[in-house]
Amino acid sequence: MIKEKVELLLNQQVTHELYSAQLYLSMSSWFSEKSLDGFAKWYYVQAYEEKAHAMIIYNYIIQAGGRALLEPIKAPPHEWDSVMDVLEETVKHEEFVTSLIYNIVDVARQEKDYKVDQFFQWFVNEQVEEEDNVNKNKGRYETMGKDGKALYLLDQELGARVYVAPPLLTTMEA
Ligand code: FEO
């Protein structure tokens, strides 16, 4: 059985992940308006990935004999001052998500819920990749963003991203 304190945090994390999807979809829409279709696609795919994270945790709560108590998802911002503003907010948001994941692992260990501790190691590793991706996007825009031709190529490259369901989700839904 899942520990009550841990179950509450997992439920909150479902909401955080769904908010991440909302935030990135809103950013995608902002990029579309600026005709940066590649950036828009990257964020659109990221929104799907965040929904997948939420579903993985939801499925885990159910499998562990808990109850998923869904909460309202706040509205994301709709406007940003610049492309860099979006990229910086994304980096900050992913760092925040990492801190939430670390807290879940900390509390799971305090509560001796070693199943959740182990399960969440996937998310710990996933956050390494998430932070790396968004930091790379920011760094590459810093280098290439002021040159029109380079920006065009960066936008093209980001637009090549395709959604691949995380293996953990496919395993759980198989
Ligand atoms: Fe679900 Fe981007 O972390």
Side-chain angles (χ1 to χ4, degrees):
M1 200 66 187
I2 193 165
K3 295 284 171 70
E4 204 175 315
K5 217 167 159 184
V6 178
E7 185 179 355
L8 176 67
L9 284 177
L10 296 197
N11 267 298
Q12 288 170 349
Q13 193 62 27
V14 170
T15 305
H16 285 302
E17 299 290 346
L18 290 174
Y19 174 75
S20 300
Q22 292 274 88
L23 176 64
Y24 294 147
L25 202 54
S26 183
M27 288 172 167
S28 177
S29 159
W30 186 88
F31 280 118
S32 289
E33 195 189 41
K34 305 280 177 286
S35 298
L36 285 167
D37 294 341
F39 281 83
K41 172 83 181 302
W42 194 95
Y43 275 86
Y44 185 87
V45 170
Q46 189 62 29
Y48 264 98
E49 203 160 284
E50 300 301 348
K51 278 185 193 158
H53 293 167
M55 298 311 280
I56 288 169
I57 300 167
Y58 170 90
N59 286 340
Y60 182 84
I61 295 169
I62 303 297
Q63 279 185 348
R67 180 84 205 281
L69 300 169
L70 303 173
E71 292 179 344
I73 303 159
K74 68 177 179 183
H78 302 113
E79 293 300 334
W80 289 271
D81 292 337
S82 62
V83 171
M84 188 48 85
D85 193 21
V86 179
L87 300 178
E88 278 172 352
E89 184 173 336
T90 307
V91 169
K92 275 196 204 124
H93 184 70
E94 285 303 327
E95 287 171 352
F96 171 62
V97 172
T98 299
S99 74
L100 296 171
I101 301 287
Y102 284 0
N103 185 50
I104 289 172
V105 172
D106 277 345
V107 174
R109 286 180 186 178
Q110 283 158 23
E111 296 290 307
K112 298 193 189 308
D113 197 332
Y114 299 117
K115 285 181 280 187
V116 168
D117 175 11
Q118 198 189 14
F119 185 77
F120 264 77
Q121 293 310 308
W122 184 86
F123 281 95
V124 171
N125 290 326
E126 178 72 0
Q127 282 311 116
V128 175
E129 194 184 309
E130 295 275 271
E131 284 193 34
D132 183 42
N133 287 341
V134 298
N135 272 308
K136 269 189 193 142
N137 287 352
K138 181 174 157 259
R140 292 168 81 208
Y141 181 76
E142 257 161 7
T143 313
M144 301 158 91
K146 287 183 190 76
D147 177 275
K149 209 165 165 184
L151 178 60
Y152 174 79
L153 290 173
L154 178 59
D155 191 56
Q156 293 277 103
E157 193 186 313
L158 292 177
R161 185 179 185 192
V162 286
Y163 174 67
V164 179
L168 202 53
L169 184 63
T170 21
T171 308
M172 294 177 95
E173 297 200 331

mmCIF file with all atom_site columns, all heavy atoms in Angstrom, residues 17 20 24 46 50 53 94 97 127 130, ligand 1:
data_model
loop_
_atom_site.group_PDB
_atom_site.id
_atom_site.type_symbol
_atom_site.label_atom_id
_atom_site.label_alt_id
_atom_site.label_comp_id
_atom_site.label_asym_id
_atom_site.label_entity_id
_atom_site.label_seq_id
_atom_site.pdbx_PDB_ins_code
_atom_site.Cartn_x
_atom_site.Cartn_y
_atom_site.Cartn_z
_atom_site.occupancy
_atom_site.B_iso_or_equiv
_atom_site.pdbx_formal_charge
_atom_site.auth_seq_id
_atom_site.auth_comp_id
_atom_site.auth_asym_id
_atom_site.auth_atom_id
_atom_site.pdbx_PDB_model_num
ATOM   1  N  N   . GLU A 1 17  ? 2.656  18.021 -13.584 1.00 0.00 ? 17  GLU A N   1
ATOM   2  C  CA  . GLU A 1 17  ? 3.026  17.572 -14.936 1.00 0.00 ? 17  GLU A CA  1
ATOM   3  C  C   . GLU A 1 17  ? 1.981  18.049 -15.955 1.00 0.00 ? 17  GLU A C   1
ATOM   4  O  O   . GLU A 1 17  ? 2.338  18.438 -17.070 1.00 0.00 ? 17  GLU A O   1
ATOM   5  C  CB  . GLU A 1 17  ? 3.165  16.044 -14.988 1.00 0.00 ? 17  GLU A CB  1
ATOM   6  C  CG  . GLU A 1 17  ? 4.232  15.460 -14.073 1.00 0.00 ? 17  GLU A CG  1
ATOM   7  C  CD  . GLU A 1 17  ? 5.673  15.780 -14.496 1.00 0.00 ? 17  GLU A CD  1
ATOM   8  O  OE1 . GLU A 1 17  ? 5.883  16.221 -15.636 1.00 0.00 ? 17  GLU A OE1 1
ATOM   9  O  OE2 . GLU A 1 17  ? 6.582  15.584 -13.667 1.00 0.00 ? 17  GLU A OE2 1
ATOM   10 N  N   . SER A 1 20  ? 2.667  21.548 -16.627 1.00 0.00 ? 20  SER A N   1
ATOM   11 C  CA  . SER A 1 20  ? 3.802  21.665 -17.549 1.00 0.00 ? 20  SER A CA  1
ATOM   12 C  C   . SER A 1 20  ? 3.311  21.534 -18.993 1.00 0.00 ? 20  SER A C   1
ATOM   13 O  O   . SER A 1 20  ? 3.741  22.284 -19.880 1.00 0.00 ? 20  SER A O   1
ATOM   14 C  CB  . SER A 1 20  ? 4.844  20.576 -17.281 1.00 0.00 ? 20  SER A CB  1
ATOM   15 O  OG  . SER A 1 20  ? 5.350  20.676 -15.969 1.00 0.00 ? 20  SER A OG  1
ATOM   16 N  N   . TYR A 1 24  ? 3.703  24.443 -21.809 1.00 0.00 ? 24  TYR A N   1
ATOM   17 C  CA  . TYR A 1 24  ? 4.445  24.258 -23.053 1.00 0.00 ? 24  TYR A CA  1
ATOM   18 C  C   . TYR A 1 24  ? 3.543  24.393 -24.277 1.00 0.00 ? 24  TYR A C   1
ATOM   19 O  O   . TYR A 1 24  ? 3.995  24.834 -25.335 1.00 0.00 ? 24  TYR A O   1
ATOM   20 C  CB  . TYR A 1 24  ? 5.194  22.921 -23.034 1.00 0.00 ? 24  TYR A CB  1
ATOM   21 C  CG  . TYR A 1 24  ? 6.284  22.899 -21.972 1.00 0.00 ? 24  TYR A CG  1
ATOM   22 C  CD1 . TYR A 1 24  ? 6.638  21.742 -21.298 1.00 0.00 ? 24  TYR A CD1 1
ATOM   23 C  CD2 . TYR A 1 24  ? 6.953  24.066 -21.634 1.00 0.00 ? 24  TYR A CD2 1
ATOM   24 C  CE1 . TYR A 1 24  ? 7.635  21.739 -20.328 1.00 0.00 ? 24  TYR A CE1 1
ATOM   25 C  CE2 . TYR A 1 24  ? 7.947  24.085 -20.659 1.00 0.00 ? 24  TYR A CE2 1
ATOM   26 C  CZ  . TYR A 1 24  ? 8.277  22.915 -20.007 1.00 0.00 ? 24  TYR A CZ  1
ATOM   27 O  OH  . TYR A 1 24  ? 9.255  22.926 -19.041 1.00 0.00 ? 24  TYR A OH  1
ATOM   28 N  N   . GLN A 1 46  ? 6.745  18.535 -26.599 1.00 0.00 ? 46  GLN A N   1
ATOM   29 C  CA  . GLN A 1 46  ? 7.066  18.530 -25.163 1.00 0.00 ? 46  GLN A CA  1
ATOM   30 C  C   . GLN A 1 46  ? 5.789  18.474 -24.309 1.00 0.00 ? 46  GLN A C   1
ATOM   31 O  O   . GLN A 1 46  ? 5.755  17.823 -23.273 1.00 0.00 ? 46  GLN A O   1
ATOM   32 C  CB  . GLN A 1 46  ? 7.909  19.770 -24.796 1.00 0.00 ? 46  GLN A CB  1
ATOM   33 C  CG  . GLN A 1 46  ? 8.471  19.756 -23.386 1.00 0.00 ? 46  GLN A CG  1
ATOM   34 C  CD  . GLN A 1 46  ? 9.428  18.600 -23.117 1.00 0.00 ? 46  GLN A CD  1
ATOM   35 O  OE1 . GLN A 1 46  ? 10.091 18.116 -24.017 1.00 0.00 ? 46  GLN A OE1 1
ATOM   36 N  NE2 . GLN A 1 46  ? 9.467  18.136 -21.879 1.00 0.00 ? 46  GLN A NE2 1
ATOM   37 N  N   . GLU A 1 50  ? 4.914  15.786 -21.383 1.00 0.00 ? 50  GLU A N   1
ATOM   38 C  CA  . GLU A 1 50  ? 4.502  16.107 -20.006 1.00 0.00 ? 50  GLU A CA  1
ATOM   39 C  C   . GLU A 1 50  ? 3.215  15.376 -19.637 1.00 0.00 ? 50  GLU A C   1
ATOM   40 O  O   . GLU A 1 50  ? 3.058  14.908 -18.514 1.00 0.00 ? 50  GLU A O   1
ATOM   41 C  CB  . GLU A 1 50  ? 4.342  17.619 -19.835 1.00 0.00 ? 50  GLU A CB  1
ATOM   42 C  CG  . GLU A 1 50  ? 5.594  18.434 -20.085 1.00 0.00 ? 50  GLU A CG  1
ATOM   43 C  CD  . GLU A 1 50  ? 6.776  18.070 -19.193 1.00 0.00 ? 50  GLU A CD  1
ATOM   44 O  OE1 . GLU A 1 50  ? 6.596  17.325 -18.210 1.00 0.00 ? 50  GLU A OE1 1
ATOM   45 O  OE2 . GLU A 1 50  ? 7.885  18.519 -19.488 1.00 0.00 ? 50  GLU A OE2 1
ATOM   46 N  N   . HIS A 1 53  ? 4.152  11.992 -18.699 1.00 0.00 ? 53  HIS A N   1
ATOM   47 C  CA  . HIS A 1 53  ? 4.685  11.922 -17.319 1.00 0.00 ? 53  HIS A CA  1
ATOM   48 C  C   . HIS A 1 53  ? 3.530  11.854 -16.315 1.00 0.00 ? 53  HIS A C   1
ATOM   49 O  O   . HIS A 1 53  ? 3.565  11.083 -15.361 1.00 0.00 ? 53  HIS A O   1
ATOM   50 C  CB  . HIS A 1 53  ? 5.546  13.154 -17.007 1.00 0.00 ? 53  HIS A CB  1
ATOM   51 C  CG  . HIS A 1 53  ? 6.820  13.218 -17.807 1.00 0.00 ? 53  HIS A CG  1
ATOM   52 N  ND1 . HIS A 1 53  ? 7.590  14.344 -17.883 1.00 0.00 ? 53  HIS A ND1 1
ATOM   53 C  CD2 . HIS A 1 53  ? 7.437  12.282 -18.568 1.00 0.00 ? 53  HIS A CD2 1
ATOM   54 C  CE1 . HIS A 1 53  ? 8.645  14.091 -18.659 1.00 0.00 ? 53  HIS A CE1 1
ATOM   55 N  NE2 . HIS A 1 53  ? 8.573  12.864 -19.083 1.00 0.00 ? 53  HIS A NE2 1
ATOM   56 N  N   . GLU A 1 94  ? 11.873 23.601 -15.572 1.00 0.00 ? 94  GLU A N   1
ATOM   57 C  CA  . GLU A 1 94  ? 12.392 22.230 -15.461 1.00 0.00 ? 94  GLU A CA  1
ATOM   58 C  C   . GLU A 1 94  ? 13.214 22.051 -14.179 1.00 0.00 ? 94  GLU A C   1
ATOM   59 O  O   . GLU A 1 94  ? 13.176 20.982 -13.562 1.00 0.00 ? 94  GLU A O   1
ATOM   60 C  CB  . GLU A 1 94  ? 13.198 21.849 -16.708 1.00 0.00 ? 94  GLU A CB  1
ATOM   61 C  CG  . GLU A 1 94  ? 12.339 21.557 -17.923 1.00 0.00 ? 94  GLU A CG  1
ATOM   62 C  CD  . GLU A 1 94  ? 11.311 20.446 -17.712 1.00 0.00 ? 94  GLU A CD  1
ATOM   63 O  OE1 . GLU A 1 94  ? 11.578 19.498 -16.949 1.00 0.00 ? 94  GLU A OE1 1
ATOM   64 O  OE2 . GLU A 1 94  ? 10.216 20.551 -18.301 1.00 0.00 ? 94  GLU A OE2 1
ATOM   65 N  N   . VAL A 1 97  ? 10.733 21.493 -11.530 1.00 0.00 ? 97  VAL A N   1
ATOM   66 C  CA  . VAL A 1 97  ? 10.194 20.124 -11.569 1.00 0.00 ? 97  VAL A CA  1
ATOM   67 C  C   . VAL A 1 97  ? 11.204 19.145 -10.957 1.00 0.00 ? 97  VAL A C   1
ATOM   68 O  O   . VAL A 1 97  ? 10.828 18.239 -10.204 1.00 0.00 ? 97  VAL A O   1
ATOM   69 C  CB  . VAL A 1 97  ? 9.811  19.709 -13.016 1.00 0.00 ? 97  VAL A CB  1
ATOM   70 C  CG1 . VAL A 1 97  ? 9.428  18.231 -13.089 1.00 0.00 ? 97  VAL A CG1 1
ATOM   71 C  CG2 . VAL A 1 97  ? 8.656  20.566 -13.531 1.00 0.00 ? 97  VAL A CG2 1
ATOM   72 N  N   . GLN A 1 127 ? 14.787 13.807 -15.632 1.00 0.00 ? 127 GLN A N   1
ATOM   73 C  CA  . GLN A 1 127 ? 15.036 15.241 -15.418 1.00 0.00 ? 127 GLN A CA  1
ATOM   74 C  C   . GLN A 1 127 ? 16.438 15.653 -15.875 1.00 0.00 ? 127 GLN A C   1
ATOM   75 O  O   . GLN A 1 127 ? 16.638 16.797 -16.273 1.00 0.00 ? 127 GLN A O   1
ATOM   76 C  CB  . GLN A 1 127 ? 14.797 15.627 -13.954 1.00 0.00 ? 127 GLN A CB  1
ATOM   77 C  CG  . GLN A 1 127 ? 13.338 15.777 -13.589 1.00 0.00 ? 127 GLN A CG  1
ATOM   78 C  CD  . GLN A 1 127 ? 12.538 16.635 -14.556 1.00 0.00 ? 127 GLN A CD  1
ATOM   79 O  OE1 . GLN A 1 127 ? 11.624 16.158 -15.217 1.00 0.00 ? 127 GLN A OE1 1
ATOM   80 N  NE2 . GLN A 1 127 ? 12.886 17.917 -14.690 1.00 0.00 ? 127 GLN A NE2 1
ATOM   81 N  N   . GLU A 1 130 ? 15.731 16.192 -19.456 1.00 0.00 ? 130 GLU A N   1
ATOM   82 C  CA  . GLU A 1 130 ? 14.858 17.361 -19.648 1.00 0.00 ? 130 GLU A CA  1
ATOM   83 C  C   . GLU A 1 130 ? 15.656 18.660 -19.483 1.00 0.00 ? 130 GLU A C   1
ATOM   84 O  O   . GLU A 1 130 ? 15.547 19.572 -20.298 1.00 0.00 ? 130 GLU A O   1
ATOM   85 C  CB  . GLU A 1 130 ? 13.703 17.338 -18.629 1.00 0.00 ? 130 GLU A CB  1
ATOM   86 C  CG  . GLU A 1 130 ? 12.728 16.190 -18.776 1.00 0.00 ? 130 GLU A CG  1
ATOM   87 C  CD  . GLU A 1 130 ? 11.639 16.459 -19.792 1.00 0.00 ? 130 GLU A CD  1
ATOM   88 O  OE1 . GLU A 1 130 ? 10.602 17.000 -19.408 1.00 0.00 ? 130 GLU A OE1 1
ATOM   89 O  OE2 . GLU A 1 130 ? 11.847 16.115 -20.967 1.00 0.00 ? 130 GLU A OE2 1
HETATM 90 FE FE1 . FEO B 2 .   ? 7.781  16.245 -16.707 1.00 0.00 ? 1   FEO B FE1 1
HETATM 91 FE FE2 . FEO B 2 .   ? 9.563  18.316 -18.148 1.00 0.00 ? 1   FEO B FE2 1
HETATM 92 O  O1  . FEO B 2 .   ? 9.266  17.235 -16.676 1.00 0.00 ? 1   FEO B O1  1
#
